[in-house]
Amino acid sequence: MWIAITLSALAMTAIVAGRYLASSGIFAAITNRVRPGYHAGLGSQIRREIGWSLVSAAIYGIPAGVVAWGWQERGWTQIYMDPGAYPLWYLPLAPLLYLLAHDAWFYWTHRLMHRPNLFRTMHAVHHASRPPTAWAAMSFHPWEAITGAVVIPVLVFVIPIHVAMLGVVLIVMTVMGVTNHMGWEIFPRRLVHSKLGGWLITASHHQRHHEEYRCNYGLYFRHWDRFCGTDKGLSPNI
């Protein structure tokens, strides 16, 4: 059993690391094409970002591997494969519930990590990226990585979700995590400045957090920032 769990954890670590390298690499290449010179002089920073991110990949991969083993071998989770197991309207609802729950957890833990002592211990590594790049999406101190690594493994025990919809959640997590750190806005201006865009977090919003630190703590949505008075809008530099 322990050998199977270990192999599952190693496999998931490799998958998480590969997903990071592929997604960040693609968007970094797009940045180099669209914004030539943006990465100029950031070679050592990018190498640090990749190093921290690969450590984070292991921290994310280990619990994911344990959960994957438990799902396949013991049926422990609420992940299901039969689309008819729940009403069809529930298929798109489950990812939204996951993203809302993850967003709430991220907002409050992120805001907590901006307290001086915790910032120095846990969050300073991430903010050492000046300016952030696509490679900074998972550039966390191990303690911070742990706070992020537990979310989805806990949710799959609590909220039923089809395996394909769980894939959608992971895609959204990956794309938003990377694009929010690119330093420029990849999404159309008409979306970012629309009524819908006013509730979503993109690079324009998250960049302001990296510029001013004490605002814009959310991950996917802006409702917590707005409700708590920490939303300072979009960066004027993007």
Side-chain angles (χ1 to χ4, degrees):
M1 180 181 76
W2 292 109
I3 293 176
I5 293 174
T6 300
L7 291 175
S8 181
L10 290 173
M12 289 304 299
T13 296
I15 290 171
V16 174
R19 185 187 68 184
Y20 159 74
L21 291 171
S23 58
S24 291
I26 289 169
F27 284 107
I30 294 173
T31 298
N32 287 334
R33 186 176 185 86
V34 176
R35 296 291 177 93
Y38 183 79
H39 292 152
L42 297 180
S44 60
Q45 173 185 307
I46 290 172
R47 286 190 290 273
R48 287 196 304 272
E49 290 170 348
I50 294 173
W52 284 114
S53 295
L54 292 178
V55 172
S56 295
I59 294 172
Y60 276 74
I62 291 170
V66 174
V67 168
W69 176 87
W71 167 52
Q72 293 179 330
E73 300 297 328
R74 296 292 190 269
W76 285 345
T77 74
Q78 297 283 345
I79 303 171
Y80 64 95
M81 298 187 70
D82 178 8
Y86 290 85
L88 289 179
W89 57 261
Y90 182 72
L91 279 175
L93 177 61
L96 180 60
L97 294 176
Y98 271 62
L99 294 175
L100 287 169
H102 190 194
D103 187 73
W105 173 261
F106 183 89
Y107 176 87
W108 290 105
T109 55
H110 187 194
R111 189 169 174 179
L112 185 64
M113 283 187 289
H114 273 265
R115 292 178 178 268
N117 289 339
L118 290 178
F119 183 88
R120 288 191 294 270
T121 303
M122 300 176 66
H123 199 44
V125 165
H126 186 65
H127 275 279
S129 295
R130 302 188 185 95
T133 75
W135 297 104
M138 290 182 63
S139 181
F140 307 130
H141 186 280
W143 287 118
E144 178 174 1
I146 289 171
T147 69
V150 300
V151 180
I152 302 301
V154 169
L155 288 176
V156 296
F157 285 96
V158 178
I159 302 177
I161 189 167
H162 188 272
V163 64
M165 295 299 99
L166 181 58
V168 170
V169 172
L170 296 176
I171 290 171
V172 172
M173 288 174 57
T174 302
V175 171
M176 292 193 72
V178 176
T179 58
N180 287 354
H181 290 90
M182 290 172 64
W184 59 280
E185 191 59 78
I186 194 172
F187 296 106
R189 182 179 178 85
R190 62 181 178 274
L191 170 63
V192 176
H193 294 274
S194 68
K195 289 184 178 179
L196 174 62
W199 292 98
L200 299 176
I201 293 174
T202 63
S204 301
H205 188 267
H206 193 64
Q207 182 76 7
R208 188 151 196 171
H209 172 74
H210 278 267
E211 292 167 352
E212 300 185 26
Y213 286 40
R214 294 290 185 177
C215 64
N216 297 13
Y217 296 106
L219 178 59
Y220 306 119
F221 310 110
R222 292 171 62 174
H223 58 272
W224 282 110
D225 275 308
R226 290 189 169 188
F227 180 75
C228 297
T230 54
D231 194 318
K232 288 195 176 181
L234 309 182
S235 169
N237 300 315
I238 292 184

